[in-house]
Amino acid sequence: MTNDLFKSIYLDVLEFCQSHLQMQPQAVSEVLYNVWLPLATRLVSHRQQLNRPLIQGILGGQGTGKTTLCRVLTLIIGYLGYNTLSLSLDDLYKTYRDRQILKQHDPRLIWRGPPGTHDVELGLTVLDKIRSCELPVSVPRFDKSAYNGAGDRTTPEIVTNADIVLFEGWFVGIRPIDPSAFDHPPSPILTPEDQAFARDINDKLRDYLPLWERLDSLIVLYPKDYRFSLEWRQQAERQMIALGKPGMTDSEIEQFVKYFWCSLHPELFIKPLIESPTLVDLVIEINSDHSFGKILS
């Protein structure tokens, strides 16, 4: 079965990987056979056991390949005869107007992204309708380019069929931790103001717990060193600038990434999560060159 599926889907996956990721055929073959195909068949098997749509959480920081994983899984799962819906935590952002009001109340929310900037109730409505097969469902979508990059809601997508939902985001599934962890936190949480911000964001995570309860399973894309995400983001911006597109400088990227480390530090939040046998089903290690390392079930 796996060999037949591999042969039938290989060319489509190869085309996607070469056009979007500049991957060599040998690397595509290996990752398709060893990671993507087994994962897709595992999700389909889980969906069949549930006898209702599967809500699959995918947690990964910047540059870990969440979008790529969703695109490839969608391709393979389609070959297996099932419909996939990709939903990002980003799609659940509050509107531009609501986030401006939020910023007036808390000027520390300088960028969209941290807990508190999403419409959790909207996410619950969408996932509950899909889980109970109340289709079609209106799925929110977010346009990051609106308002000069501040972003805003755009036209929702009407989805008539969804067997498997790939719900991805940079803190999908992350839970609040003991506030004492911020008494002696890692860098860049340095000042008392940083510590207060981290504690407040930690509190806001409680609002997201009902959303995580809708997950049937959670996959974590885990960089061997969380600081890779800073390097990856800087590389991506340099490539955009080289193509004549607007991009941030290295120092601007550093400020941006460290803001997110201050709000939910990977060492404090993701490390304990992946050591939990009850909260995470699969951990995929990510090497510095974006390739996969160990896969821990």
Side-chain angles (χ1 to χ4, degrees), residues 90-287:
D90 293 356
D91 290 318
L92 303 181
Y93 278 130
K94 292 179 177 177
T95 62
Y96 174 76
R97 185 174 172 277
D98 285 346
R99 282 181 290 114
Q100 293 306 106
I101 294 167
L102 201 61
K103 209 177 192 175
Q104 287 168 5
H105 289 297
D106 189 350
R108 297 175 303 175
L109 296 172
I110 51 175
W111 280 299
R112 62 170 193 263
T117 59
H118 304 85
D119 186 338
V120 174
E121 287 303 317
L122 177 63
L124 290 172
T125 299
V126 171
L127 293 184
D128 283 345
K129 282 189 173 178
I130 292 170
R131 276 172 67 110
S132 55
C133 300
E134 292 175 43
L135 298 160
V137 63
S138 176
V139 176
R141 294 302 185 199
F142 192 80
D143 177 8
K144 292 181 183 178
S145 67
Y147 292 100
N148 295 317
D152 200 6
R153 295 254 178 91
T154 186
T155 310
E157 180 185 352
I158 305 302
V159 173
T160 57
N161 204 338
D163 299 302
I164 295 171
V165 177
L166 302 175
F167 181 30
E168 56 85 4
W170 77 281
F171 69 90
V172 165
I174 283 187
R175 290 157 186 274
I177 59 172
D178 187 327
S180 65
F182 306 110
D183 294 343
H184 303 285
S187 175
I189 306 170
L190 303 172
T191 66
E193 290 78 18
D194 292 339
Q195 288 168 299
F197 179 59
R199 282 193 182 93
D200 290 345
I201 292 295
N202 185 49
D203 282 343
K204 286 194 172 78
L205 270 177
R206 297 186 195 289
D207 298 338
Y208 291 74
L209 293 178
L211 208 47
W212 309 156
E213 283 164 14
R214 269 58 175 187
L215 303 178
D216 294 303
S217 168
L218 181 63
I219 295 167
V220 179
L221 301 175
Y222 186 67
K224 286 189 175 175
D225 186 328
Y226 73 89
R227 288 163 291 203
F228 290 162
S229 62
L230 175 58
E231 294 170 31
W232 292 333
R233 189 62 199 259
Q234 287 173 335
Q235 285 168 3
E237 292 289 322
R238 284 183 209 131
Q239 285 167 357
M240 286 208 310
I241 292 167
L243 293 169
K245 296 176 183 175
M248 291 194 266
T249 64
D250 280 2
S251 59
E252 285 171 336
I253 291 291
E254 190 166 350
Q255 185 188 4
F256 179 74
V257 171
K258 284 185 175 178
Y259 172 78
F260 289 93
W261 289 346
C262 277
S263 61
L264 292 174
H265 200 291
E267 290 287 292
L268 296 178
F269 288 91
I270 299 182
K271 215 170 184 180
L273 188 71
I274 65 165
E275 290 163 0
S276 164
T278 54
L279 299 175
V280 175
D281 300 274
L282 198 71
V283 178
I284 302 175
E285 280 191 350
I286 312 291
N287 299 317

Side-chain angles (χ1 to χ4, degrees), residues 76-83 163:
I76 301 170
I77 290 166
Y79 266 80
L80 292 167
Y82 289 84
N83 292 292
D163 299 302

Side-chain angles (χ1 to χ4, degrees), residues 53-66:
L54 166 74
I55 313 293
Q56 175 63 59
I58 300 173
L59 163 63
Q62 294 175 347
T64 51
K66 300 183 295 295

